[in-house]
Amino acid sequence: MAKTRYVPDRGLTNRMVLTMFLIGLLYVVFTGVLIAAFGKAWPLIVVMVGGLFAAQFWFSDRIAAFSMGAREVTPEQAPELHGAVDRLCALADMPKPRVAIADTDVPNAFATGRSQRKSLVCATTGLLRRLEPDELEGVLAHELSHVAHRDVAVMTIAAFLGVLAGLITRMALWTGLFGRGGRNNQNIFLLLIPLISALVYVISFLLTRLLSRYRELSADRAGALLTGRPSALASALTKVSGQMARIPTRDLRQAEPFNAFFFAPALSSGASLSRLLSSHPTLEQRLDRLAKLSGQLGR
């Protein structure tokens, strides 16, 4: 990755390499199964898988921004947000990403993009209304660390495999792309493809969750070290997590599919998810890490 003043994280790098290796292996296995199942239609499968992967890689930032309702804003439209991003990019010695705002009361932020020069950072109107300037900078520093460490690109690619598995399965069942073998073979494929797709989706889901939890702790640490104010980030975390319970359930459910990319999960305080399925560490764990980091900086 391009050098920045963000603290490197060897643990994060090793996890990203392992995740990409396993995801690549899943791609190969899944494509191989589809080729074997579809017989003469294998060129179409190769083109489809390759085309969807290329589109996801090259247009991931625009796809994510559109899905989450983000719109790019100019410095004249959002001077405070642009000013905070300008200061942090200068401090981190990294290119400035595109800046966007999502019109939703859910207080959150996210970053996306395949590289530092093709990235986008977005804050919601709910976040901008609730945070003080130093808290907002803490959140943005957290999000920009995802861009600097390139883990946002890995997460985008990893998450896409599950989407691909479901999409190809539906297309196969709907359009009858199976080989023209006997009826028994077709029935076997009708049962086998959804089962394999479900397995691929589960493995992809677990891999992204394991990487997501670690990368959030890494971004907390890197962002807090860059600004030198872990307490500001801790305050923003506490405020955002506390406000989630006041957001209408319908809005939280709309944001929930993108939790792995958000600064804080869009879940009410009463929601109960197992640790295995959570996209983020617990609030207590994040605050504890930031408190320890604050103590270290104080000494």
Side-chain angles (χ1 to χ4, degrees):
M1 73 178 183
K3 293 292 185 180
T4 70
R5 294 197 181 103
Y6 274 105
V7 176
D9 190 324
R10 188 179 295 268
L12 177 62
T13 301
N14 292 338
R15 283 168 172 79
M16 288 194 298
V17 171
L18 178 61
T19 298
M20 288 305 297
F21 172 77
L22 294 175
I23 288 294
L25 188 61
L26 278 177
Y27 265 115
V28 172
V29 172
F30 187 53
T31 304
V33 170
L34 291 174
I35 290 174
F38 294 155
K40 294 181 179 180
W42 70 265
L44 178 61
I45 296 302
V46 172
V47 171
M48 184 184 300
V49 173
L52 288 173
F53 178 82
Q56 175 69 7
F57 181 76
W58 288 103
F59 303 109
S60 61
D61 54 339
R62 300 185 186 278
I63 294 172
F66 176 79
S67 301
M68 301 182 202
R71 57 178 177 84
E72 289 187 46
V73 291
T74 64
E76 292 75 23
Q77 293 171 319
E80 294 182 1
L81 181 58
H82 269 274
V85 173
D86 284 334
R87 288 190 294 273
L88 290 170
C89 288
L91 191 61
D93 192 22
M94 64 183 290
K96 181 181 178 181
R98 302 195 312 280
V99 178
I101 292 178
D103 188 14
T104 172
D105 195 44
V106 178
N108 234 317
F110 69 89
T112 184
R114 67 182 186 272
S115 68
Q116 290 184 24
R117 296 191 179 279
K118 298 292 183 180
S119 60
L120 176 143
V121 62
C122 176
T124 67
T125 52
L127 185 80
L128 296 174
R129 283 199 300 269
R130 290 174 171 88
L131 297 190
E132 300 297 328
D134 60 335
E135 295 171 337
L136 178 61
E137 284 200 1
V139 173
L140 294 175
H142 169 106
E143 293 303 328
L144 288 172
S145 75
H146 288 315
V147 175
H149 290 151
R150 296 289 298 274
D151 58 273
V152 66
V154 175
M155 280 294 296
T156 301
I157 295 172
F160 180 63
L161 181 59
V163 176
L164 179 64
L167 178 63
I168 289 183
T169 300
R170 290 189 185 94
M171 292 182 66
L173 295 175
W174 289 345
T175 61
L177 287 176
F178 298 103
R180 298 183 179 180
R183 188 176 185 83
N184 290 335
N185 290 338
Q186 186 175 9
N187 290 336
I188 291 173
F189 286 142
L190 283 170
L191 294 174
L192 184 61
I193 296 295
L195 290 176
I196 293 175
S197 297
L199 180 62
V200 168
Y201 176 81
V202 169
I203 295 174
S204 174
F205 179 87
L206 293 178
L207 286 174
T208 55
R209 287 303 183 266
L210 292 173
L211 176 60
S212 179
R213 290 199 293 271
Y214 186 90
R215 81 183 191 116
E216 293 302 328
L217 292 174
S218 176
D220 284 347
R221 180 175 182 271
L225 287 174
L226 181 72
T227 62
R229 296 192 301 271
S231 59
L233 181 55
S235 176
L237 266 171
T238 303
K239 189 177 292 186
V240 168
S241 299
Q243 290 290 318
M244 285 297 178
R246 303 181 181 181
I247 304 299
T249 303
R250 179 176 58 84
D251 294 341
L252 291 176
R253 285 177 179 171
Q254 289 178 349
E256 199 170 316
F258 310 107
N259 271 344
F261 297 92
F262 280 142
F263 167 68
L267 295 170
S268 64
S269 59
S272 175
L273 291 177
S274 69
R275 182 175 177 81
L276 181 63
L277 300 180
S278 174
S279 61
H280 288 64
T282 63
L283 175 63
E284 292 74 17
Q285 186 179 6
R286 296 176 76 176
L287 293 178
D288 181 63
R289 295 286 185 94
L290 289 171
K292 290 179 179 177
L293 181 60
S294 183
Q296 293 171 3
L297 292 178
R299 288 194 297 270

